[in-house]
Amino acid sequence: AQSVTQLDSQVPVFEEAPVELRCNYSSSVSVYLFWYVQYPNQGLQLLLKYLSGSTLVKGINGFEAEFNKSQTSFHLRKPSVHISDTAEYFCAVTLNAGNMLTFGGGTRLMVKP
Amino acid sequence: GAVVSQHPSRVICKSGTSVKIECRSLDFQATTMFWYRQFPKQSLMLMATSNEGSKATYEQGVEKDKFLINHASLTLSTLTVTSAHPEDSSFYICSARGAWGDPDTQYFGPGTRLTVL
């Protein structure tokens, strides 16, 4: 079975600073990887996904992530964050794209002015 | 495109009552819908997977007689929490996957917050 670990439960950062949210996964077979964002009392919105091809994936809102198979990681990055990026971010993995997702514990990004 | 709605967004009920939550795909046909629950400050846990016209597949530890799922059409799935108790209070989120468009992605509804008194 696959699992996802988000090492940081909270990441405080100042506005306009760069940020990296870490995600590591465990699986004995190839997986597909996703990052979702959840604003308070809302559902999840897809930021980006890796299915195949280029390991550097660009998503919405200026976010990008890099798939590193050797390190089994899929870290999310943004070069300059805004107050509006304050939210909960979830990394997720699936063995079959479109099927059940296994989520990490989430990372709360707190952007301070 | 790919919008998923949930109704109601928030519900408060007394212990022992049943609550129905609807999940609708508004602009695509969802062949598969997923139901998750999320406790405060925790991640999402998959409860069940439902395919249109067939019985839902429940995850281990989820009582299928308590959490009734009906996926009667390609745009609607319902989750009924029967005889709800305070420990059922949670944020319930559905997601849907379509047969066309982007089948590799699940689209999530806005969630339903259930509070059982």
Side-chain angles (χ1 to χ4, degrees):
Chain A
Q2 64 275 21
S3 65
V4 181
T5 302
Q6 291 181 244
L7 296 169
D8 306 299
S9 59
Q10 294 187 66
V11 173
V13 63
F14 286 106
E15 192 173 20
E16 297 184 5
V19 70
E20 179 179 82
L21 306 183
R22 296 181 292 172
C23 172
N24 287 88
Y25 69 93
S26 174
S27 175
S28 57
V29 298
S30 296
V31 297
Y32 304 99
L33 296 149
F34 301 77
W35 273 100
Y36 285 88
V37 59
Q38 183 182 33
Y39 298 102
N41 295 310
Q42 295 186 28
L44 277 66
Q45 180 182 6
L46 179 68
L47 277 177
L48 48 79
K49 61 185 176 183
Y50 172 78
L51 302 180
S52 65
S54 173
T55 57
L56 182 62
V57 181
K58 293 189 182 298
I60 63 171
N61 301 343
F63 284 93
E64 65 178 31
E66 185 157 20
F67 171 59
N68 188 318
K69 188 174 182 179
S70 62
Q71 296 186 6
T72 60
S73 68
F74 190 54
H75 301 332
L76 181 70
R77 296 190 289 260
K78 187 171 183 177
S80 176
V81 295
H82 301 288
I83 295 288
S84 58
D85 292 323
T86 296
E88 190 87 18
Y89 291 79
F90 291 97
C91 181
V93 63
T94 182
L95 297 180
N96 300 298
N99 284 335
M100 64 163 286
L101 290 165
T102 299
F103 285 88
T107 297
R108 181 170 298 279
L109 175 64
M110 299 176 293
V111 182
K112 300 179 286 186
Chain B
V3 177
V4 177
S5 70
Q6 280 184 244
H7 177 80
S9 58
R10 185 181 296 266
V11 58
I12 301 173
C13 69
K14 292 182 178 180
S15 184
T17 59
S18 294
V19 176
K20 179 184 284 188
I21 302 170
E22 293 185 348
C23 176
R24 293 182 185 272
S25 56
L26 299 185
D27 51 2
F28 68 102
Q29 293 183 326
T31 52
T32 304
M33 286 185 169
F34 305 85
W35 286 95
Y36 297 83
R37 65 187 298 181
Q38 183 182 31
F39 290 107
K41 300 187 186 302
Q42 294 187 29
S43 188
L44 283 75
M45 299 298 294
L46 179 67
M47 298 175 67
T49 303
S50 74
N51 293 293
E52 185 267 337
S54 61
K55 290 183 178 180
T57 302
Y58 290 80
E59 295 300 300
Q60 191 172 10
V62 178
E63 300 175 58
K64 57 184 175 183
D65 294 331
K66 180 169 185 62
F67 299 99
L68 301 178
I69 292 172
N70 185 355
H71 193 163
S73 76
L74 284 171
T75 59
L76 173 65
S77 175
T78 60
L79 167 68
T80 301
V81 183
T82 62
S83 187
H85 290 94
E87 58 266 29
D88 298 323
S89 298
S90 187
F91 196 50
Y92 292 87
I93 304 176
C94 72
S95 70
R97 177 173 69 95
W100 59 278
D102 185 358
D104 297 322
T105 299
Q106 290 182 37
Y107 297 95
F108 285 79
T112 296
R113 184 163 300 284
L114 170 63
T115 302
V116 185
L117 303 176

